[in-house]
Amino acid sequence: TMLPLLPLLLPAAHAIVELGYRPVLTQTPTLEGLTTASTFVLDQPRCVFGGYDNADIWLVVALDKAASAFNNTAVPGTPETAFQGFPDPVSAYMTLNATLANYPCPKPAGDITVLRVGSETSCARDETRPTCNGPLPGPGPYRVKFLALQGSEPVAETAWSEPIMLRTAKSPSSISTTDSGHSAGMIAITTILSILFAILLAGLVAMLAFWGSDSCGGSSTFSKPESVTVRRYNTHHVYDQPAARL
Amino acid sequence: MAKSDDCVHILQGLLVFGNVVIGMCGIALTAECIYFVSNPHGVYPLLKATENNDIYAAAWIGIFVGLALFALSILGIIGVIKASRTLLLVYIILMLITFAFEMASCITAATHRDSLTPSLFLKQMLERYQTSEPANNSDNEVTKTWDELMLQNHCCGVLGPSDWQEYTSAFRLTHNDADYPWPRKCCVLNAQGLPTNLDACKLGVPDYYNSNGCYDAISGPVNAHAWGVAWFGFAILCWTFCVLLGTMFYWSGIEY
C-alpha cells in the first residue's frame, strides 16, 4: 500500500506552477457582445503557457464564491466537472480544451484572438458532452482560470480572474412612454392660432352686428361699380315741331 | 373722390393678391399632404401599431383643406371684384370653417409628433418584433417593417443592438441569447442576405454588425411630415387671417 503513495507524492513535490497571468475580458477591439445575458468573451492565453507543449489547457469556470474551493486535481469530463451539472451541484466546470498549438505565440497583429464562453448551445443539455461550452445559466458573478493538465495531472495554472458579472435584462413594461413633454413649437402654434381664430370670430360678429347700421363704414362707403347708365333723353328740338300747331 | 377711389382700388388689389396667394398655397398644401399620405419612407405600419396615427389624419384633413382654400380663394376674388356683399359674406363664413379645420390639423400634427418618443418605439419593438403569437395582422406588419428598416438603413434596434440585451422581448422568447444576442438583420449582410461573418456579428466586432439605432431613420421622416403639415399650415393660416380681416373691413364698407 505504500507503493501507490509514492507516485502520488511525486507530483506533489513538483508543485503546480502558478503563472502570473490573470484571465481578462477582451479589451481590444471593443466588442458590443463582451458580456451578454449568458456569454462573455475572454482573451486567449497567448504567450502564457510557454514550454507546456504536451499539456491540455482547460478553462475552469466557477461561481465566484466557489472559486477558492476548486481542487486542481479535478478531472475534466466527469460528472463532478460537467457543464450540465452547473451551477448545482457542480460549482465549477471545465471546458474549452486546447493545446499550445491553438494559442501560437506571438499573436499576429490585427487578429482577433478571443474565447467566447457560452457559445455552444447544441450540447447544453447533452449529458454525453460534459465539456460543453454551454451558455451560462445566470448573471453570475463568475471567475475563470486556465489550467494545464499533462495526462491527468495539473502542471500549471493561471490566477483566478476578477469576478465577471453578466447582463440582466429588464422587462419592457418598465419602459415609460407617458412622460413626453410638449415642445415649444406645439405650444406656440396652439396659442397663436387660437388667438387668431378668436379675433376672426369677433370680427365676424362685429360685422354681422353692424350690418344694419352705417355707423362704422360711413366715411369709407363707396359705390358698387355697377354700370349705371344714364339714359340720354333726346330733347325734341323746337324746330322739329310742326309749325302748323300755331 | 379720386383719393377714396384709389384707396378702394388698392384695397381690392391687395385682397385679390391675398386670395391668389391663398389659392396657390392651398394647392401646395394639398400636394404636400398627398406626398405624406403616400408613405414614402415606409414607417406607416409602425405608427399604426402605436395606435397613434393621428399625424396621418392631420395630413388627410390637409388635403381637403388645401382644395377648399383654392376654391374659396376663387370665390373671394370674384366677390372682391364684384363688391357683392352676399358673396363676400359666404366667403368669410366658409373661410372661417376652413380655418378651424386647418387649425385642428396643425395642432394635431404638432401634438402627436411630440408623443412619438424613442421609448414608444422601443417598447413596441420589444413587445411585437418577431412575436411568436401575433395578436393581429399589425404584429406581422411591425416585424416586416422593422426588418426592412434595419436592412435598408443599416441600423439595429431603436437606440442600438444593446436594446436586445438590456430588455427581454418577444424576440428573446424564441431566440436564445447565446445564438442570437441580437437579430440576424443587425449583422452586415452579403448579397445573398447572409451575414458576412456570423461569429464576428455575434461577438459584436465593429464592421460586422450595425451598431447605430434606427430611431433617426424613423424620426427623420416623421418629423418632416409633422412639422411640414403643422408649420406650413400655420403659415397659411397667418396669411389667411390677414386676408380675412381685410375682407371683413372691405365688406363693411360696401354700399348695399
Side-chain angles (χ1 to χ4, degrees), chain A residues 46-103:
Chain A
R46 296 277 178 123
C47 308
V48 171
F49 288 94
Y52 294 96
D53 300 352
N54 300 328
D56 291 327
I57 303 172
W58 291 87
L59 178 72
V60 182
V61 181
L63 296 169
D64 184 23
K65 50 187 195 296
S68 39
F70 178 73
N71 192 339
N72 282 333
T73 56
V75 180
T78 59
E80 291 76 29
T81 56
F83 166 77
Q84 286 76 19
F86 185 77
D88 181 50
V90 174
S91 59
Y93 67 98
M94 299 171 78
T95 183
L96 277 177
N97 180 15
T99 61
L100 202 57
N102 297 115
Y103 303 139

Side-chain angles (χ1 to χ4, degrees), chain B residues 122-162:
Chain B
L122 182 63
K123 193 162 179 177
Q124 177 201 84
M125 178 186 81
L126 290 171
E127 287 175 356
R128 304 219 206 176
Y129 177 72
Q130 295 229 11
T131 173
S132 49
E133 296 139 30
N136 47 33
N137 199 30
S138 86
D139 285 348
N140 291 333
E141 291 286 325
V142 168
T143 302
K144 271 201 317 208
T145 306
W146 270 107
D147 282 338
E148 275 175 29
L149 207 62
M150 294 201 282
L151 206 60
Q152 279 166 10
N153 296 295
H154 305 294
C155 57
C156 182
V158 173
L159 302 169
S162 7

